[in-house]
Amino acid sequence: MVAPDTFHVSPEPLLMIADLHGALALCLHDEGRGVGGLLHLRFMGGTGRPSDVTDNTLSSVLVVLDRFKRAVLGNTARRDEVQARILAHALPPTDAGEPSASLVDLIQADLADGKIACGTQTTRRTEPLRVCFQPLEGRVWICGPNDLRAAPRAHRSAG
């Protein structure tokens, strides 16, 4: 299990899991090196809804994001061998206005600056979202909290 505001990186055939509630998981896989990692970040504000990106958020997220990318990619990664995917969980929208830029937007922009394409998916529901990631193969999927049958050969990460 990858705890909120931490990451785990591995070249092993294991299963990384993040339970998202007002949070996102960035799954990054370097096919050339056979290494992958999962970064689990909470949306700021604790409301379960995307919050505005402030200067403090920006600086702290960029530091963690940079350490995470270095751990997965090293110094010589070929960007065409890198896969990135952001899965986010947020509560359903309300009448209150949504921010113009969220953590998802910030991370997408940072990856784009590094020439890394990144797919995103935000799920808006009241129940938490469980993300499963196999770093060796770069497979990522959403599963129920007790349903890990989709990866019978994977080992769970102590994370």
Side-chain angles (χ1 to χ4, degrees):
M1 190 70 71
V2 179
D5 300 322
T6 65
F7 63 84
H8 189 75
V9 174
S10 178
E12 302 296 322
L14 52 82
L15 181 62
M16 294 180 188
I17 301 168
D19 287 329
L20 306 181
H21 188 263
L24 66 85
L26 169 60
C27 299
L28 194 59
H29 174 70
D30 182 343
E31 190 173 342
R33 294 179 62 218
V35 175
L38 188 150
L39 171 63
H40 181 179
L41 289 175
R42 289 180 280 203
F43 284 118
M44 293 305 192
T47 62
R49 291 182 174 79
S51 60
D52 284 314
V53 176
T54 65
D55 288 341
N56 288 340
T57 305
L58 180 64
S59 62
S60 63
V61 168
L62 289 178
V63 166
V64 173
L65 182 59
D66 187 54
R67 285 194 341 226
F68 173 65
K69 289 188 311 188
R70 272 198 316 260
V72 175
L73 305 176
N75 295 325
T76 59
R78 290 181 41 189
R79 300 305 187 225
D80 62 334
E81 294 181 336
V82 176
Q83 303 166 8
R85 178 124 184 244
I86 298 172
L87 297 169
H89 172 273
L91 292 176
T94 63
D95 293 338
E98 294 281 330
S100 58
S102 70
L103 283 179
V104 172
D105 300 318
L106 170 70
I107 293 170
Q108 269 191 302
D110 182 81
L111 293 171
D113 285 347
K115 307 290 188 248
I116 297 172
C118 179
T120 63
Q121 176 182 343
T122 299
T123 302
R124 292 180 171 270
R125 65 184 197 186
T126 55
E127 303 84 23
L129 184 71
R130 175 166 278 187
V131 173
C132 299
F133 179 61
Q134 290 178 322
L136 182 65
E137 298 173 9
R139 286 188 55 219
V140 61
W141 69 96
I142 296 169
C143 62
N146 299 313
D147 183 17
L148 296 179
R149 290 170 292 193
R153 294 184 307 261
H155 302 285
R156 292 185 190 181
S157 167

